[in-house]
Amino acid sequence: QSVVEPLYQAAMNCVACFAPGTGLHLPTIDVPQPRWVGPSYHASSPRVLVVMLNPGQGDAPQLEQNLQLKALLHGYKSGQATFSSVLAFQREHMRVWGRPQGRFLPFYTTALGLSLDALAFINIALCATKENQYPRSMLRRCFASHTAAIAAALQPEVVLLSGSGTHSFAGAFAARLPTARILPMLHYAHREGAEVERREHERVREVLASEGEKRV
């Protein structure tokens, strides 16, 4: 059982960010979405946690997949599906995430010299929104209620804040994870070009190598 499973399970009933007056509405996947924790994550050195802002609300072409995930997550919420089944579904579909299709996974694995089995991911907002908007108030609320505790349970040694929207949470993560290296980096869907991406991956790999040497 993953250390984060009870924390995600406790979060599954939360709809605080969608109260009347917030202007936010739940999308097709209308529950919080747990994120990947690799089977080798806790034994890896350094332990690397990738932080992203939010799960996507899902595009129309992926409606069938979104409905499958919705059913699975409702099963997990009610105790009829396991956390491992949620992660297995995610593993199967992560390989096609991103535009162009499949861009997501290599950006955080092969390009950084990391394996998916050794990585963990987390979203600051556990829920998607129908509007695909994530106001600061929502992000702060979810971080305080759920995300901070999940991150602390994972005990990462390096936290990669991926995308400008996550960078303002560097101080909040540092306060909760005082021994971790907090490293802002590009988002996989950036538009900075191939050379900027190459230099970014090189920079992050150097930090990861340095952090790994500290812990030998």
Side-chain angles (χ1 to χ4, degrees):
Q1 173 176 314
S2 172
V3 293
V4 297
E5 180 176 0
L7 298 172
Y8 275 122
Q9 183 66 53
M12 294 305 289
N13 289 306
C14 183
V15 290
C17 295
F18 300 93
T22 62
L24 300 176
H25 302 87
L26 287 161
T28 300
I29 303 174
D30 57 355
V31 288
Q33 299 184 44
R35 274 297 178 258
W36 174 259
V37 181
S40 304
Y41 168 77
H42 291 286
S44 61
S45 182
R47 291 185 297 274
V48 179
L49 173 64
V50 179
V51 177
M52 307 188 77
L53 198 66
N54 57 273
Q57 88 276 33
D59 296 330
Q62 292 143 1
L63 180 59
E64 182 178 351
Q65 177 184 319
N66 290 334
L67 291 174
Q68 290 173 358
L69 179 56
K70 177 180 179 177
L72 176 60
L73 290 175
H74 275 272
Y76 175 61
K77 177 181 176 181
S78 66
Q80 302 302 305
T82 64
F83 186 70
S84 60
S85 68
V86 173
L87 295 190
F89 183 96
Q90 210 167 110
R91 179 193 278 277
E92 179 184 349
H93 291 91
M94 284 170 84
R95 58 187 174 81
V96 298
W97 286 2
R99 294 193 188 96
Q101 193 176 79
R103 174 163 167 75
F104 174 88
L105 208 51
F107 188 88
Y108 300 107
T109 57
T110 51
L112 294 177
L114 300 170
S115 74
L116 181 60
D117 281 356
L119 272 178
F121 288 82
I122 196 171
N123 285 321
I124 293 175
L126 300 190
C127 291
T129 72
K130 189 174 183 180
E131 296 78 14
N132 203 28
Q133 294 177 359
Y134 299 87
R136 185 77 180 172
S137 58
M138 176 192 186
L139 297 171
R140 286 198 301 260
R141 182 184 297 114
C142 197
F143 183 87
S145 299
H146 307 296
T147 318
I150 294 167
L154 287 167
Q155 297 183 310
E157 293 166 333
V158 178
V159 177
L160 301 179
L161 300 178
S162 185
S164 59
T166 68
H167 295 174
S168 62
F169 280 83
F173 275 100
R176 297 296 186 117
L177 303 166
T179 63
R181 175 75 177 269
I182 312 298
L183 187 67
M185 69 172 292
L186 284 176
H187 189 270
Y188 78 92
H190 73 89
R191 298 180 181 178
E192 301 296 325
E195 178 58 21
V196 169
E197 180 172 313
R198 185 195 65 77
R199 291 200 304 267
E200 178 73 334
H201 281 139
E202 182 178 4
R203 178 182 72 90
V204 176
R205 284 197 308 269
E206 288 176 355
V207 172
L208 295 178
S210 173
E211 292 297 317
E213 288 171 2
K214 287 182 186 177
R215 293 169 170 83
V216 171

